[in-house]
Amino acid sequence: MIDTSSLKFNSDGLIPVIAQDIKTGEVLMLAWMNAEAIKITLETSQVTYWSRSRKSLWRKGETSSHFQMLKEFYVDCDSDTLLLKVEQIGPACHTGAKTCFFTKVL
Amino acid sequence: MIDTSSLKFNSDGLIPVIAQDIKTGEVLMLAWMNAEAIKITLETSQVTYWSRSRKSLWRKGETSSHFQMLKEFYVDCDSDTLLLKVEQIGPACHTGAKTCFFTKVL
């Protein structure tokens, strides 16, 4: 478990979270968590974010069944970003793409 | 090049940027860019962020020589996060660690 009081949340009480596929190494998405989402994610091993648009907890896959199973959990050097290595069930992106980063500019 | 007006910046005019090592797939760090940092990064192929603490452009490696050479540049599905695949010169983290995500909670 982690003491969430050691993390640096932004003024909305949120911290950015990078989800990376533990098998392929692909970066799947960036989303946000509050302290409660972190607690639920660690307790259940199913990744739960905070939806900034819906302003509510959002268990990834709750409607799509495209769950993210937590495998590893890292905090960065200045405690203001999380990196989660996950087993992604189905596509990560709401568009049906494997990852949210399918638009290549360069 | 990218039309930065198509990107969703936050209320401070910034967008989160994930830097990933193009060779190893390791996630190196998360930092922030404004429109100008994006333009400079694409023009020079050397990654330049916006330092939120110093409130100025920050060419990664300008003091440490640990530059990030831009190799690939992606935008996510809702245009509010960037993923840069980079060649990292030396360690990415200011602590001297290879990546900023060296603290494993789980």
Side-chain angles (χ1 to χ4, degrees), chain A residues 12-24:
Chain A
D12 294 322
L14 302 177
I15 188 166
V17 183
I18 302 164
Q20 183 178 29
D21 189 300
I22 194 164
K23 283 181 285 193
T24 66

Side-chain angles (χ1 to χ4, degrees), chain B residues 33 37-38 40-41 44 46-50 57-60:
Chain B
M33 287 186 180
I38 292 171
I40 293 170
T41 295
T44 64
Q46 284 204 3
V47 179
T48 291
Y49 298 106
W50 178 260
L57 289 167
W58 158 41
R59 184 165 63 115
K60 174 71 180 159

Side-chain angles (χ1 to χ4, degrees), chain A residues 2 20 25 27 30 32 52 70 72-77 80-81 83 93-94 100-106, chain B residues 2 20 25 27 30 52 70 72-77 80-81 83 93-94 100-106:
Chain A
I2 186 174
Q20 183 178 29
V27 175
L30 181 132
W32 297 79
R52 295 179 303 166
L70 179 67
E72 297 178 7
F73 186 114
Y74 297 82
V75 180
D76 80 337
C77 56
D80 67 1
T81 306
L83 171 65
C93 185
H94 74 286
C100 293
F101 296 97
F102 55 84
T103 304
K104 191 167 189 281
V105 172
L106 176 84
Chain B
I2 186 174
Q20 183 178 29
V27 175
L30 181 133
R52 294 179 302 167
L70 180 67
E72 297 178 8
F73 185 114
Y74 297 82
V75 181
D76 80 338
C77 57
D80 66 0
T81 306
L83 171 65
C93 186
H94 74 286
C100 293
F101 296 97
F102 55 82
T103 304
K104 192 167 189 279
V105 172
L106 176 84

Side-chain angles (χ1 to χ4, degrees), chain B residues 9 21 25 35 39 67-68 76 82 87:
Chain B
F9 294 93
D21 188 299
K39 188 167 169 282
F67 300 105
Q68 287 180 345
D76 80 338
L82 305 179
E87 182 188 342

